[in-house]
Coordinates of all heavy atoms in Angstrom, one line a residue:
A405 N 92.2 90.8 113.0 CA 91.1 91.2 112.2 C 90.1 92.1 113.0 O 89.7 91.7 114.1 CB 90.4 90.0 111.7
T406 N 89.8 93.2 112.5 CA 88.9 94.2 113.1 C 88.2 94.9 112.0 O 88.7 95.2 110.9 CB 89.6 95.2 114.0 OG1 88.7 96.2 114.4 CG2 90.8 95.8 113.3
A407 N 86.9 95.3 112.2 CA 86.2 96.1 111.3 C 86.5 97.6 111.2 O 85.8 98.3 110.5 CB 84.7 95.9 111.5
D408 N 87.4 98.0 112.0 CA 87.7 99.4 112.2 C 87.9 100.1 110.8 O 87.4 101.2 110.6 CB 88.9 99.7 113.1 CG 88.6 99.3 114.5 OD1 87.4 99.1 114.9 OD2 89.5 99.4 115.4
D409 N 88.8 99.5 110.0 CA 89.1 100.2 108.7 C 87.9 100.2 107.8 O 87.7 101.2 107.1 CB 90.2 99.4 108.0 CG 91.6 99.6 108.7 OD1 91.7 100.6 109.5 OD2 92.5 98.9 108.4
L410 N 87.0 99.2 107.8 CA 85.8 99.2 107.0 C 84.9 100.3 107.5 O 84.3 101.0 106.7 CB 85.2 97.8 107.0 CG 85.6 96.8 106.0 CD1 84.8 95.5 106.3 CD2 85.3 97.2 104.6
L411 N 84.7 100.3 108.8 CA 83.8 101.3 109.3 C 84.2 102.8 109.0 O 83.5 103.7 108.8 CB 83.6 101.1 110.8 CG 82.8 99.8 111.2 CD1 82.9 99.6 112.7 CD2 81.4 99.8 110.6
A412 N 85.6 102.9 109.1 CA 86.1 104.3 108.8 C 85.9 104.6 107.3 O 85.8 105.8 107.0 CB 87.6 104.3 109.2
A413 N 85.9 103.6 106.5 CA 85.7 103.9 105.0 C 84.3 104.2 104.7 O 84.0 104.7 103.6 CB 86.2 102.7 104.2
E414 N 83.3 103.9 105.5 CA 81.9 103.9 105.2 C 81.4 105.3 104.7 O 80.7 105.4 103.8 CB 81.1 103.3 106.3 CG 79.8 102.8 105.9 CD 79.1 101.9 106.9 OE1 79.7 100.9 107.3 OE2 78.0 102.3 107.4
P415 N 81.8 106.4 105.4 CA 81.3 107.7 105.0 C 81.7 108.0 103.5 O 80.8 108.5 102.7 CB 81.9 108.6 105.9 CG 82.1 107.9 107.2 CD 82.5 106.5 106.7
A416 N 82.9 107.6 103.1 CA 83.3 107.8 101.7 C 82.6 106.9 100.8 O 82.2 107.3 99.6 CB 84.8 107.7 101.6
L417 N 82.3 105.6 101.2 CA 81.6 104.7 100.4 C 80.2 105.2 100.1 O 79.6 105.0 99.0 CB 81.5 103.3 101.0 CG 82.8 102.5 101.1 CD1 82.5 101.1 101.8 CD2 83.3 102.2 99.7
R418 N 79.6 105.9 101.0 CA 78.2 106.4 100.9 C 78.2 107.6 99.9 O 77.1 108.1 99.5 CB 77.7 106.9 102.2 CG 77.4 105.7 103.1 CD 76.7 106.1 104.4 NE 76.4 104.9 105.3 CZ 75.4 104.1 105.1 NH1 74.5 104.3 104.2 NH2 75.3 103.0 105.9
K419 N 79.4 108.1 99.4 CA 79.5 109.1 98.4 C 80.0 108.6 97.1 O 80.2 109.3 96.1 CB 80.3 110.2 98.9 CG 79.8 110.9 100.2 CD 80.8 112.0 100.7 CE 80.3 112.6 102.0 NZ 81.3 113.6 102.5
L420 N 80.4 107.3 97.1 CA 81.1 106.7 95.9 C 80.1 106.6 94.7 O 79.2 105.8 94.8 CB 81.7 105.4 96.3 CG 82.6 104.7 95.2 CD1 83.8 105.5 95.0 CD2 82.9 103.3 95.6
D421 N 80.4 107.3 93.6 CA 79.5 107.2 92.5 C 80.2 106.5 91.3 O 79.6 106.5 90.2 CB 79.1 108.6 92.0 CG 80.3 109.5 91.7 OD1 81.5 109.0 91.7 OD2 80.1 110.7 91.3
A422 N 81.3 105.8 91.5 CA 81.9 105.0 90.5 C 80.9 103.9 90.1 O 80.2 103.3 91.0 CB 83.2 104.4 90.9
P423 N 80.7 103.6 88.8 CA 79.8 102.6 88.4 C 80.1 101.3 89.1 O 81.3 100.8 89.0 CB 80.0 102.5 86.9 CG 80.5 103.8 86.5 CD 81.3 104.3 87.6
T424 N 79.2 100.7 89.8 CA 79.4 99.5 90.7 C 78.5 98.4 90.4 O 77.3 98.6 90.2 CB 79.3 99.9 92.1 OG1 80.3 101.0 92.4 CG2 79.6 98.7 93.1
L425 N 79.1 97.2 90.3 CA 78.3 95.9 90.1 C 78.5 95.0 91.3 O 79.7 94.9 91.8 CB 78.9 95.2 88.8 CG 78.4 93.8 88.6 CD1 76.9 93.8 88.2 CD2 79.2 93.2 87.5
V426 N 77.5 94.4 91.8 CA 77.6 93.4 92.9 C 77.1 92.1 92.4 O 76.0 92.0 91.9 CB 76.7 93.9 94.1 CG1 76.7 92.9 95.2 CG2 77.2 95.3 94.6
V427 N 77.9 91.1 92.5 CA 77.6 89.7 92.1 C 77.8 88.8 93.3 O 78.9 88.7 93.8 CB 78.5 89.3 90.9 CG1 78.0 87.9 90.4 CG2 78.5 90.3 89.8
W428 N 76.7 88.2 93.7 CA 76.7 87.5 95.0 C 76.2 86.1 95.0 O 75.1 85.8 94.5 CB 75.8 88.3 96.0 CG 76.3 88.3 97.4 CD1 75.9 87.5 98.4 CD2 77.3 89.3 98.0 NE1 76.5 87.9 99.6 CE2 77.4 88.9 99.3 CE3 78.0 90.3 97.4 CZ2 78.3 89.6 100.2 CZ3 78.9 91.0 98.2 CH2 79.0 90.7 99.6
G429 N 77.0 85.2 95.5 CA 76.5 83.8 95.6 C 75.6 83.6 96.8 O 75.9 84.1 97.9
T430 N 74.4 83.0 96.6 CA 73.4 82.9 97.6 C 73.6 81.8 98.6 O 72.9 81.7 99.6 CB 72.0 82.8 97.0 OG1 71.9 81.6 96.3 CG2 71.7 84.0 96.0
G431 N 74.6 80.9 98.3 CA 74.8 79.7 99.2 C 75.9 79.9 100.2 O 76.3 79.0 100.9
D432 N 76.5 81.1 100.2 CA 77.6 81.4 101.1 C 77.2 81.4 102.5 O 76.3 82.1 102.9 CB 78.2 82.8 100.6 CG 79.5 83.1 101.3 OD1 80.0 82.3 102.1 OD2 80.0 84.2 101.0
T433 N 78.0 80.7 103.4 CA 77.7 80.7 104.8 C 78.5 81.8 105.5 O 78.2 82.1 106.7 CB 78.2 79.3 105.4 OG1 79.6 79.1 105.2 CG2 77.4 78.2 104.8
F434 N 79.4 82.5 104.9 CA 80.1 83.6 105.5 C 79.5 84.9 105.3 O 79.4 85.8 106.2 CB 81.6 83.6 105.0 CG 82.4 82.4 105.3 CD1 82.5 81.4 104.4 CD2 83.0 82.3 106.5 CE1 83.3 80.2 104.7 CE2 83.8 81.2 106.8 CZ 83.9 80.1 105.9
F435 N 79.0 85.1 104.1 CA 78.4 86.4 103.7 C 77.0 86.2 103.0 O 76.9 85.9 101.8 CB 79.4 87.1 102.7 CG 80.8 87.2 103.2 CD1 81.8 86.6 102.6 CD2 81.1 88.0 104.4 CE1 83.1 86.6 103.1 CE2 82.4 88.1 104.8 CZ 83.4 87.4 104.2
E436 N 76.0 86.4 103.8 CA 74.6 86.2 103.3 C 74.3 87.2 102.3 O 74.9 88.3 102.2 CB 73.7 86.3 104.5 CG 73.9 85.2 105.6 CD 72.9 85.3 106.7 OE1 72.2 86.3 106.7 OE2 72.9 84.4 107.6
A437 N 73.2 86.9 101.5 CA 72.8 87.8 100.4 C 72.3 89.1 100.9 O 72.3 90.1 100.2 CB 71.7 87.1 99.6
S438 N 72.0 89.2 102.2 CA 71.6 90.5 102.8 C 72.7 91.5 102.7 O 72.5 92.8 102.6 CB 71.1 90.4 104.2 OG 72.2 89.8 105.0
W439 N 74.0 91.1 102.6 CA 75.1 92.0 102.5 C 75.2 92.6 101.1 O 75.6 93.7 100.9 CB 76.4 91.3 102.9 CG 76.5 91.1 104.4 CD1 76.5 89.9 105.0 CD2 76.6 92.1 105.4 NE1 76.5 90.1 106.4 CE2 76.6 91.4 106.6 CE3 76.6 93.5 105.4 CZ2 76.7 92.1 107.8 CZ3 76.7 94.2 106.6 CH2 76.7 93.5 107.8
A440 N 74.7 91.9 100.1 CA 74.6 92.4 98.8 C 73.6 93.6 98.7 O 73.9 94.7 98.1 CB 74.2 91.4 97.7
A441 N 72.5 93.4 99.4 CA 71.5 94.5 99.5 C 72.1 95.7 100.3 O 71.8 96.8 100.0 CB 70.3 94.0 100.2
W442 N 72.9 95.4 101.3 CA 73.5 96.5 102.1 C 74.4 97.3 101.2 O 74.4 98.5 101.3 CB 74.3 95.9 103.3 CG 74.9 96.9 104.2 CD1 74.3 97.5 105.2 CD2 76.2 97.6 104.0 NE1 75.2 98.5 105.8 CE2 76.3 98.5 105.0 CE3 77.2 97.4 103.1 CZ2 77.4 99.3 105.2 CZ3 78.4 98.2 103.3 CH2 78.5 99.2 104.3
L443 N 75.2 96.6 100.4 CA 76.1 97.4 99.4 C 75.3 98.2 98.5 O 75.6 99.4 98.2 CB 77.0 96.4 98.7 CG 78.1 95.7 99.5 CD1 78.7 94.6 98.7 CD2 79.2 96.8 99.8
R444 N 74.2 97.6 98.0 CA 73.3 98.4 97.0 C 72.8 99.6 97.7 O 72.7 100.7 97.1 CB 72.2 97.5 96.6 CG 71.1 98.1 95.7 CD 69.8 97.4 95.8 NE 69.2 97.4 97.1 CZ 68.5 96.4 97.6 NH1 68.2 95.3 96.9 NH2 68.0 96.6 98.8
D445 N 72.4 99.5 99.0 CA 71.8 100.7 99.7 C 72.9 101.7 100.2 O 72.5 102.8 100.6 CB 71.0 100.2 100.8 CG 69.8 99.3 100.4 OD1 69.4 99.5 99.2 OD2 69.3 98.5 101.2
T446 N 74.1 101.3 100.2 CA 75.2 102.1 100.7 C 76.0 102.8 99.7 O 76.3 104.0 99.8 CB 76.2 101.2 101.6 OG1 75.4 100.6 102.6 CG2 77.3 102.1 102.2
I447 N 76.3 102.2 98.6 CA 77.1 102.8 97.5 C 76.2 103.3 96.4 O 75.5 102.6 95.8 CB 78.1 101.7 96.9 CG1 79.0 101.2 98.0 CG2 78.9 102.3 95.8 CD1 80.0 100.1 97.6
P448 N 76.2 104.7 96.3 CA 75.3 105.3 95.3 C 75.5 104.8 93.8 O 74.6 104.8 93.0 CB 75.6 106.8 95.4 CG 76.2 106.9 96.7 CD 76.9 105.7 97.0
G449 N 76.8 104.4 93.5 CA 77.1 103.9 92.2 C 76.6 102.6 91.8 O 76.8 102.2 90.6
V450 N 76.1 101.8 92.7 CA 75.6 100.4 92.4 C 74.5 100.5 91.4 O 73.5 101.1 91.5 CB 75.1 99.7 93.7 CG1 74.5 98.3 93.2 CG2 76.3 99.4 94.6
E451 N 74.8 99.8 90.2 CA 73.8 99.8 89.1 C 73.0 98.5 89.1 O 71.9 98.5 88.6 CB 74.6 99.9 87.8 CG 75.3 101.2 87.6 CD 76.0 101.3 86.3 OE1 76.0 100.3 85.5 OE2 76.5 102.4 86.0
E452 N 73.6 97.4 89.6 CA 72.9 96.1 89.5 C 73.5 95.2 90.6 O 74.7 95.2 90.9 CB 73.2 95.5 88.1 CG 72.5 94.2 87.8 CD 72.8 93.7 86.4 OE1 73.7 94.2 85.8 OE2 72.2 92.7 86.0
V453 N 72.6 94.4 91.1 CA 72.9 93.3 92.0 C 72.5 92.0 91.3 O 71.4 91.8 91.0 CB 72.3 93.4 93.4 CG1 72.6 92.1 94.2 CG2 72.7 94.6 94.1
V454 N 73.5 91.1 91.1 CA 73.3 89.8 90.4 C 73.5 88.7 91.4 O 74.5 88.6 92.1 CB 74.3 89.6 89.2 CG1 74.0 88.2 88.6 CG2 74.1 90.7 88.2
E455 N 72.4 87.9 91.6 CA 72.5 86.8 92.6 C 72.9 85.5 91.8 O 72.3 85.2 90.8 CB 71.2 86.6 93.3 CG 71.0 87.7 94.3 CD 69.8 87.4 95.3 OE1 69.1 86.5 95.0 OE2 69.7 88.2 96.3
V456 N 73.8 84.8 92.3 CA 74.3 83.5 91.7 C 73.7 82.4 92.6 O 74.2 82.1 93.7 CB 75.8 83.4 91.6 CG1 76.2 82.2 90.9 CG2 76.3 84.7 90.9
D457 N 72.7 81.7 92.1 CA 71.9 80.8 92.9 C 72.8 79.7 93.5 O 73.4 78.9 92.7 CB 70.8 80.2 92.1 CG 69.8 79.4 93.0 OD1 69.5 79.8 94.1 OD2 69.4 78.3 92.5
G458 N 72.8 79.5 94.8 CA 73.5 78.4 95.4 C 75.0 78.5 95.5 O 75.7 77.7 96.1
A459 N 75.6 79.5 94.9 CA 77.1 79.7 94.8 C 77.6 80.1 96.2 O 77.0 80.8 96.9 CB 77.5 80.7 93.8
K460 N 78.8 79.6 96.5 CA 79.5 79.8 97.7 C 80.6 80.9 97.5 O 80.8 81.4 96.5 CB 80.0 78.6 98.4 CG 78.9 77.7 98.9 CD 79.4 76.7 99.9 CE 78.3 76.0 100.7 NZ 78.8 75.1 101.7
L461 N 81.3 81.1 98.6 CA 82.3 82.2 98.7 C 83.2 82.2 97.5 O 83.5 83.3 96.9 CB 83.1 82.1 100.0 CG 84.2 83.1 100.2 CD1 83.7 84.5 100.1 CD2 84.9 82.8 101.5
F462 N 83.8 81.1 97.1 CA 84.8 81.1 96.1 C 84.3 80.7 94.7 O 85.0 80.1 93.9 CB 86.0 80.1 96.5 CG 86.6 80.5 97.8 CD1 86.8 79.5 98.8 CD2 87.1 81.8 98.0 CE1 87.5 79.9 100.0 CE2 87.7 82.1 99.2 CZ 87.9 81.2 100.2
F463 N 83.1 81.2 94.4 CA 82.5 80.9 93.1 C 83.3 81.5 92.0 O 83.2 81.0 90.9 CB 81.0 81.3 93.1 CG 80.7 82.8 92.8 CD1 80.6 83.3 91.5 CD2 80.6 83.7 93.9 CE1 80.4 84.6 91.3 CE2 80.3 85.0 93.7 CZ 80.2 85.5 92.4
P464 N 84.1 82.6 92.1 CA 84.9 83.0 91.0 C 85.8 81.9 90.5 O 86.2 81.9 89.3 CB 85.6 84.2 91.5 CG 84.7 84.8 92.6 CD 84.1 83.6 93.2
D465 N 86.2 81.0 91.4 CA 87.1 79.9 91.0 C 86.2 78.7 90.5 O 86.4 78.1 89.5 CB 87.9 79.5 92.2 CG 88.9 78.3 91.9 OD1 89.1 78.0 90.7 OD2 89.4 77.7 92.9
E466 N 85.2 78.4 91.3 CA 84.4 77.2 91.0 C 83.4 77.4 89.9 O 83.1 76.5 89.1 CB 83.6 76.8 92.3 CG 82.8 75.5 92.2 CD 82.2 75.1 93.5 OE1 82.0 76.0 94.4 OE2 81.9 73.9 93.6
R467 N 82.8 78.6 89.7 CA 81.8 78.9 88.7 C 82.1 80.2 88.0 O 81.4 81.2 88.1 CB 80.4 79.0 89.4 CG 80.0 77.7 90.0 CD 78.7 77.8 90.8 NE 77.6 78.4 90.1 CZ 76.3 78.4 90.6 NH1 76.0 78.0 91.8 NH2 75.3 79.0 89.9
P468 N 83.3 80.3 87.4 CA 83.7 81.6 86.8 C 82.8 82.2 85.8 O 82.7 83.4 85.7 CB 85.1 81.3 86.2 CG 85.1 79.8 86.0 CD 84.3 79.2 87.1
A469 N 82.1 81.3 85.0 CA 81.2 81.8 84.0 C 80.1 82.7 84.6 O 79.6 83.6 84.0 CB 80.5 80.7 83.2
D470 N 79.7 82.4 85.9 CA 78.7 83.2 86.6 C 79.1 84.6 86.9 O 78.3 85.4 87.3 CB 78.2 82.5 87.8 CG 77.3 81.3 87.4 OD1 76.4 81.4 86.6 OD2 77.6 80.1 87.9
L471 N 80.4 84.8 86.9 CA 80.9 86.2 87.1 C 81.3 86.8 85.7 O 81.1 88.0 85.5 CB 82.2 86.2 88.0 CG 82.8 87.5 88.3 CD1 81.8 88.6 88.8 CD2 84.0 87.4 89.3
V472 N 81.8 86.0 84.8 CA 82.2 86.5 83.5 C 81.1 87.2 82.8 O 81.2 88.3 82.3 CB 82.8 85.3 82.6 CG1 83.0 85.8 81.2 CG2 84.2 84.9 83.2
A473 N 79.9 86.5 82.8 CA 78.8 87.1 82.0 C 78.4 88.5 82.5 O 78.3 89.4 81.7 CB 77.6 86.1 82.0
P474 N 78.1 88.7 83.8 CA 77.7 90.0 84.2 C 78.9 91.0 84.1 O 78.6 92.2 83.8 CB 77.3 89.8 85.7 CG 77.8 88.5 86.1 CD 77.9 87.7 84.9
L475 N 80.1 90.6 84.3 CA 81.3 91.5 84.1 C 81.3 92.0 82.7 O 81.6 93.2 82.4 CB 82.6 90.8 84.5 CG 83.2 91.0 85.8 CD1 84.5 90.3 85.9 CD2 83.3 92.4 86.2
R476 N 81.2 91.1 81.7 CA 81.3 91.5 80.3 C 80.2 92.5 80.0 O 80.4 93.5 79.3 CB 81.2 90.3 79.4 CG 82.4 89.4 79.5 CD 82.3 88.2 78.4 NE 82.5 88.8 77.1 CZ 83.6 88.9 76.4 NH1 84.8 88.5 77.0 NH2 83.7 89.3 75.2
R477 N 79.0 92.3 80.5 CA 77.9 93.2 80.2 C 78.2 94.6 80.9 O 78.0 95.6 80.2 CB 76.5 92.7 80.8 CG 76.0 91.4 80.1 CD 74.5 91.2 80.5 NE 74.3 91.1 81.9 CZ 74.4 89.9 82.6 NH1 74.6 88.8 81.9 NH2 74.2 89.9 83.9
F478 N 78.6 94.5 82.1 CA 78.9 95.7 82.9 C 80.0 96.5 82.2 O 79.9 97.8 82.0 CB 79.3 95.3 84.3 CG 79.6 96.4 85.2 CD1 78.7 97.5 85.4 CD2 80.8 96.4 85.9 CE1 79.0 98.5 86.4 CE2 81.1 97.4 86.8 CZ 80.2 98.4 87.1
W479 N 81.1 95.9 81.9 CA 82.3 96.6 81.3 C 81.9 97.1 79.9 O 82.4 98.2 79.6 CB 83.5 95.7 81.3 CG 84.1 95.5 82.6 CD1 83.9 96.2 83.8 CD2 85.1 94.5 82.9 NE1 84.7 95.7 84.8 CE2 85.5 94.7 84.3 CE3 85.8 93.5 82.2 CZ2 86.4 93.9 84.9 CZ3 86.7 92.7 82.8 CH2 87.0 92.9 84.2

Side-chain angles (χ1 to χ4, degrees):
T406 169
D408 291 352
D409 288 346
L410 272 177
L411 293 173
E414 202 164 301
L417 287 180
R418 292 187 179 277
K419 300 175 183 179
L420 185 65
D421 59 3
T424 301
L425 170 69
V426 178
V427 186
W428 215 264
T430 65
D432 188 3
T433 59
F434 296 97
F435 308 113
E436 296 178 354
S438 59
W439 288 111
W442 184 90
L443 288 167
R444 178 200 63 209
D445 296 339
T446 300
I447 299 177
V450 171
E451 296 181 354
E452 184 180 10
V453 174
V454 177
E455 291 191 347
V456 183
D457 188 41
K460 288 197 169 185
L461 176 58
F462 299 132
F463 81 88
D465 183 16
E466 187 174 18
R467 296 170 58 172
D470 288 311
L471 180 55
V472 167
L475 262 185
R476 292 185 69 90
R477 293 195 303 269
F478 179 56
W479 284 348

